[in-house]
């Protein structure tokens, strides 16, 4: 059975693992810090991870910040996301020349969606969407097992959807501002009538919610209603079978209880027959990007 080397390049660490054709982890896996200062240094670090296993792998899949154009055999990274020094780096070409095997490179949000399609909450769907709740809102649009990239590789960048079409677009009006995890914290403190305490994170305010804190629950419901309204917008445009929600706060069942509880209110004035968004928790956690990168690598071997 063929084996594949998956690499997930993040802003703080680079995770790697070896998987087989059935998406089982086999052999070693690990991580290193993302403390590079140049593309050359980063590529050398990636290569050093692969080197001990070069004789046992059929292909390499890489999940990276930034954009990679569809059908670009060089896997050139544009913008580089949090790693701006990777802009214009032909990563697939460099790794392919080093190891002599096919190399697939794709954006991290799209790899997360592909991972959930391969072995998670989108498995068995023809059309699904992943939404990662963090400081911003990551997205992956998966159609027939492929990630929609769009003309400029910007499909699924949900953070930049505008809340207020009457005014110019500003960060304060973005989907990220009203649906990131800090928006939930802000609503909870508003319900408490207190200024936001920056030291309070999701681990703390979900303890309040779990303990039955009424103000915290009201804040959660306000957040869930706003989020559900966004899901309705996306349902109207994309009409997926499933929305798979990922990110740090997605581990709390209370979040999904609130999404379900507030969906009736969000749909209250919609026309009869409008499809109710189906919301599930993403299943693969921090490994989703590696699964997605390996799925892309497998396709290169099959071609």
């Amino acid at each position: 059975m063929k084996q594949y080397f998956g690499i997930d390049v993040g802003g703080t660490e680079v995770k790697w693992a070896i998987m087989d054709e059935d998406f089982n982890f086999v052999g070693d896996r690990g991580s290193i810090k993302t403390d590079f200062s140049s593309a050359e240094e980063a590529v050398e670090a990636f290569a050093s991870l692969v080197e001990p296993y070069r004789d046992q792998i059929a292909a390499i899949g890489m999940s990276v910040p930034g954009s990679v154009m569809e059908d670009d055999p060089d896997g050139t990274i544009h913008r580089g996301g949090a790693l701006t020094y990777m802009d214009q780096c032909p990563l697939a070409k460099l790794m392919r020349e080093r190891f002599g095997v096919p190399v697939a490179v794709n954006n991290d949000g799209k790899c997360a969606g592909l991972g959930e399609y391969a072995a998670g909450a989108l498995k068995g769907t023809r059309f699904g969407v992943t939404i990662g709740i963090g400081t911003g809102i990551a997205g992956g649009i998966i159609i027939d097992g492929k990630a929609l990239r769009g003309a400029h590789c910007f499909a699924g960048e949900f953070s930049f959807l505008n809340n207020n079409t009457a005014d110019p677009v500003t960060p304060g009006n973005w989907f990220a501002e009203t649906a990131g995890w800090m928006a939930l914290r802000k609503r909870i403190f508003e319900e408490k009538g207190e200024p936001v305490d920056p030291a309070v994170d999701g681990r703390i305010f979900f303890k309040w919610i779990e303990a039955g804190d009424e103000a915290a629950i009201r804040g959660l419901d306000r957040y869930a209603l706003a989020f559900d309204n966004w899901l309705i917008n996306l349902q109207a445009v994309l009409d997926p079978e499933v929305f798979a929600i990922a990110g740090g706060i997605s581990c709390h069942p209370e979040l999904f209880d609130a999404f379900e509880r507030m969906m009736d209110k969000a749909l209250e004035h919609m026309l009869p027959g409008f499809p109710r968004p189906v919301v599930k928790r993403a299943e693969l956690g921090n490994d989703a990007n590696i699964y997605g990168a390996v799925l892309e690598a497998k396709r290169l071997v099959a071609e």
Side-chain angles (χ1 to χ4, degrees):
M1 181 177 287
K2 292 185 177 69
Q3 295 183 355
Y4 302 86
F5 200 97
I7 300 177
D8 174 19
V9 182
T12 57
E13 65 177 359
V14 178
K15 299 188 289 292
W16 63 271
I18 301 173
M19 302 186 85
D20 64 20
E21 291 182 310
D22 296 327
F23 298 102
N24 299 307
F25 288 102
V26 294
D28 300 331
R29 61 182 303 184
S31 66
I32 59 173
K33 294 293 184 182
T34 312
D35 54 1
F36 321 122
S37 57
S38 68
E40 293 77 12
E41 186 180 348
V43 172
E44 189 59 36
F46 304 152
S48 70
L49 298 176
V50 179
E51 186 64 41
Y53 309 95
R54 64 182 305 154
D55 294 333
Q56 69 187 72
I57 58 172
I60 300 167
M62 303 188 69
S63 165
V64 299
S67 301
V68 181
M69 298 300 288
E70 193 164 9
D71 299 324
D72 173 11
D74 292 341
T76 302
I77 298 172
H78 300 275
R79 294 182 292 274
L83 308 181
T84 54
Y85 51 78
M86 295 300 290
D87 183 40
Q88 301 305 311
C89 175
L91 184 57
K93 178 177 182 288
L94 295 174
M95 294 291 283
R96 185 171 60 246
E97 291 174 348
R98 182 78 169 257
F99 296 103
V101 298
V103 179
V105 179
N106 204 345
N107 165 263
D108 46 13
K110 293 170 178 60
C111 279
L114 289 166
E116 290 294 333
Y117 172 82
L122 300 184
K123 188 174 182 178
T125 65
R126 194 186 75 79
F127 191 178
V129 171
T130 55
I131 297 178
I133 303 173
T135 304
I137 302 294
I141 302 168
I142 310 301
I143 304 172
D144 291 328
K146 294 186 177 182
L148 179 66
R149 302 198 198 197
H152 307 93
C153 283
F154 226 70
E157 296 291 346
F158 298 144
S159 279
F160 306 107
L161 293 173
N162 188 17
N163 293 310
N164 181 0
T165 58
D167 295 325
V169 178
T170 63
N173 286 334
W174 289 346
F175 185 17
E177 184 74 13
T178 56
W181 75 268
M182 287 187 288
L184 173 55
R185 180 177 65 184
K186 178 181 177 182
R187 284 176 168 79
I188 289 173
F189 275 100
E190 285 173 350
E191 290 296 329
K192 287 180 172 290
E194 302 171 7
V196 172
D197 181 352
V200 172
D201 60 18
R203 291 169 296 182
I204 296 174
F205 59 66
F206 268 101
K207 285 184 178 179
W208 299 343
I209 292 165
E210 292 164 13
D213 184 312
E214 292 185 1
I217 293 171
R218 289 196 305 270
L220 174 61
D221 283 349
R222 285 179 56 202
Y223 172 84
L225 178 59
F227 201 98
D228 284 350
N229 285 335
W230 271 114
L231 292 182
I232 289 170
N233 284 348
L234 293 174
Q235 189 77 44
V237 175
L238 301 173
D239 196 25
E241 298 165 61
V242 175
F243 288 100
I245 310 299
I249 65 174
S250 70
C251 65
H252 298 280
E254 293 81 6
L255 177 68
F256 292 88
D257 291 344
F259 286 155
E260 181 63 24
R261 183 167 62 247
M262 301 308 292
M263 190 63 77
D264 288 334
K265 184 173 183 179
L267 289 168
E268 188 174 6
H269 300 294
M270 293 300 293
L271 293 174
F274 186 92
R276 183 186 183 92
V278 175
V279 184
K280 295 183 179 181
R281 178 185 172 188
E283 297 177 4
L284 302 180
N286 291 332
D287 290 330
N289 293 27
I290 290 180
Y291 279 91
V294 167
L295 175 61
E296 294 281 76
K298 281 183 59 180
R299 286 181 173 140
L300 290 182
V301 173
E303 290 176 353

